[in-house]
Amino acid sequence: MLTDNHGRKINYLRLAVTDRCNLRCFYCMPEEGLNWLSRAELMTYEEMLQTCTLLVKMGIDKIRITGGEPFVRKDIMQLLSSLSKLKGLNELTITTNGVLTAPLVPELKKLGVHSVNLSLDTLDANRFFSITKRDEFHKVMETLEQLLKYDVEVKINAVVMDGKNTQDIVPLVQLTKELPVSVRFIEEMPFNGDGHIYDGLKWDYVRILDEIKHEFPNMQKLTDGAYSTSYNYQIPGHKGSVGIIAAYSRTFCGTCNRIRVTPEGELKTCLYDAGVLNIKDLMRKGISNEDLQVKLIDAFTHRPKDGWEAEHNRNVNHPAHESMATIGG
Ligand code: SAM
Ligand code: SF4
């Protein structure tokens, strides 16, 4: 079992396979897009597979594929297929915006992907356009339908943004009445690719919870899983559940079991660090798996205690403003 210098188990890798995306969620990247990584800067699928194979041998048993939008990278199903065969990997999951996902759901199910996080900040097509700058709401809803049809567990991720979608909080909670989905409200973080200034958090987890409780006073607390990043609730009689993720308040760091690898191959041992080791560069210099393992363990045993410490440790020239599309969420 992998553990860090604070005694926390590490068993969960989030691998961002591209920084590119077919939406422009304003909390994630500017409308003109990012300075996209060139092909040479991206990890190849071979490098990703080598990294995952090593990490699974070391104790990672859950991998989430994310991005950017994972399904805009060519041949992504081939990578998923190879990962699905890794011995020792118990869970392969995906975070997607759902624009290209619907037709792929049957194949994902066949590969053993039993859970998908679908990003959906609003149930209103006009507000969807104003948040994402693309007219793709109906494709996302089609993906939701397909996932449910194929009995894939669905977690809906909704970032709560002052002045943008707080009127969607209650309708999104109402979705859980008839649908067996977990709707999770996420505090907005500063990772917007510098598209706009992050002027502080107006909707923290306490305010989001108050808003929901005001409408659903009988909502009940559920027991949270050991490594859960969300506080979970259910309204009696509803098929689904509700979660709140204090991503900016960082209340979950004490049990954090996750590491991240960015599309460039940068290892992050905390969401808020600036990257601690470039796996792709080491591989291209010919490092052996044994030596890479030593470097990885060194990184895991120098983990910051929490996201506040990680942010504090960042070089002042690199404030936490990069796009979430280069981190993976
Ligand atoms: N494109 C995919 C998607 O949107 O689901 C996967 C990548 S996206 C970066 C992963 C998650 O990060 C999404 O659920 C998105 O809502 C969330 N996210 C992006 N920027 C964020 C921000 N500034 N604050 C909070 N969550 C953010
Ligand atoms: Fe794209 Fe996901 Fe970022 Fe939205 S949150 S711009 S869908 S990467």
Side-chain angles (χ1 to χ4, degrees):
M1 183 169 96
L2 275 175
T3 44
D4 72 7
N5 43 319
H6 303 282
R8 294 172 296 198
K9 177 176 164 184
I10 300 178
N11 69 326
Y12 177 14
L13 165 68
R14 298 172 67 101
L15 175 65
V17 295
T18 179
D19 57 336
R20 296 185 188 228
C21 191
N22 42 8
L23 297 184
R24 294 288 183 273
C25 306
F26 94 103
Y27 50 77
C28 179
M29 63 171 76
E31 194 168 353
E32 62 275 17
L34 302 171
N35 210 351
W36 308 119
L37 294 169
S38 68
R39 203 172 168 164
E41 287 168 308
L42 277 180
M43 269 191 136
T44 63
Y45 285 153
E46 288 70 29
E47 288 161 345
M48 287 181 189
L49 188 58
Q50 191 184 336
T51 303
C52 291
T53 306
L54 178 61
L55 284 167
V56 168
K57 273 194 194 130
M58 290 170 70
I60 294 292
D61 62 10
K62 171 175 176 181
I63 297 179
R64 173 173 301 282
I65 298 302
T66 173
E69 173 51 32
F71 293 106
V72 301
R73 186 152 175 186
K74 199 165 162 250
D75 298 330
I76 184 67
M77 296 306 281
Q78 278 174 24
L79 175 74
L80 289 169
S81 169
S82 306
L83 292 176
S84 72
K85 296 185 187 101
L86 283 183
K87 286 215 166 53
L89 184 66
N90 297 330
E91 248 186 277
L92 179 61
T93 58
I94 299 170
T95 301
T96 175
N97 63 27
V99 173
L100 299 171
T101 321
L104 300 169
V105 171
E107 209 177 328
L108 291 174
K109 179 79 183 181
K110 255 193 228 152
L111 291 178
V113 175
H114 67 87
S115 168
V116 166
N117 287 8
L118 180 67
S119 299
L120 179 63
D121 303 316
T122 175
L123 293 174
D124 177 274
N126 292 328
R127 271 198 295 283
F128 182 92
F129 182 81
S130 93
I131 292 167
T132 67
K133 312 291 185 303
R134 299 289 185 271
D135 191 11
E136 304 283 18
F137 176 73
H138 299 286
K139 288 200 192 134
V140 182
M141 294 309 280
E142 216 178 296
T143 293
L144 175 59
E145 254 175 53
Q146 279 293 94
L147 290 167
L148 293 171
K149 178 172 162 199
Y150 281 84
D151 208 18
V152 176
E153 185 189 320
V154 180
K155 290 180 183 155
I156 291 179
N157 286 347
V159 178
V160 178
M161 298 156 276
D162 189 54
K164 291 271 181 187
N165 70 340
T166 53
Q167 62 275 60
D168 284 291
I169 295 177
V170 168
L172 280 165
V173 171
Q174 257 151 0
L175 260 195
T176 69
K177 184 162 197 246
E178 297 301 336
L179 302 182
V181 296
S182 168
V183 173
R184 293 124 43 93
F185 296 99
I186 307 176
E187 287 179 352
E188 186 183 355
M189 292 179 270
F191 301 110
N192 59 41
D194 255 344
H196 62 278
I197 304 295
Y198 178 77
D199 58 357
L201 184 66
K202 301 217 173 59
W203 283 78
D204 68 357
Y205 66 105
V206 178
R207 188 168 176 196
I208 299 169
L209 182 59
D210 282 350
E211 176 83 4
I212 301 171
K213 277 194 170 157
H214 183 74
E215 188 68 24
F216 303 97
N218 60 346
M219 184 166 80
Q220 287 172 0
K221 181 81 190 71
L222 298 174
T223 308
D224 300 325
Y227 305 102
S228 173
T229 52
S230 51
Y231 299 116
N232 298 292
Y233 302 85
Q234 191 166 35
I235 293 146
H238 283 209
K239 292 186 178 142
S241 60
V242 174
I244 303 177
I245 303 182
Y248 182 76
S249 304
R250 291 163 243 192
T251 54
F252 45 65
C253 300
T255 56
C256 179
N257 64 342
R258 55 193 64 195
I259 54 171
R260 294 172 168 81
V261 174
T262 73
E264 278 179 287
E266 195 70 27
L267 172 73
K268 286 164 74 77
T269 60
C270 172
L271 172 60
Y272 284 86
D273 74 34
V276 294
L277 176 81
N278 194 294
I279 297 173
K280 174 200 71 190
D281 290 350
L282 291 171
M283 282 180 172
R284 292 186 188 174
K285 282 184 189 141
I287 194 168
S288 67
N289 270 350
E290 291 70 30
D291 289 347
L292 181 55
Q293 180 161 339
V294 170
K295 285 194 179 292
L296 290 169
I297 287 176
D298 183 60
F300 299 156
T301 49
H302 287 87
R303 254 181 127 201
K305 142 172 134 288
D306 55 31
W308 299 105
E309 186 179 312
E311 191 174 3
H312 175 80
N313 289 349
R314 289 173 75 116
N315 180 319
V316 283
N317 296 320
H318 292 102
H321 286 159
E322 67 267 34
S323 166
M324 191 62 99
T326 64
I327 303 175

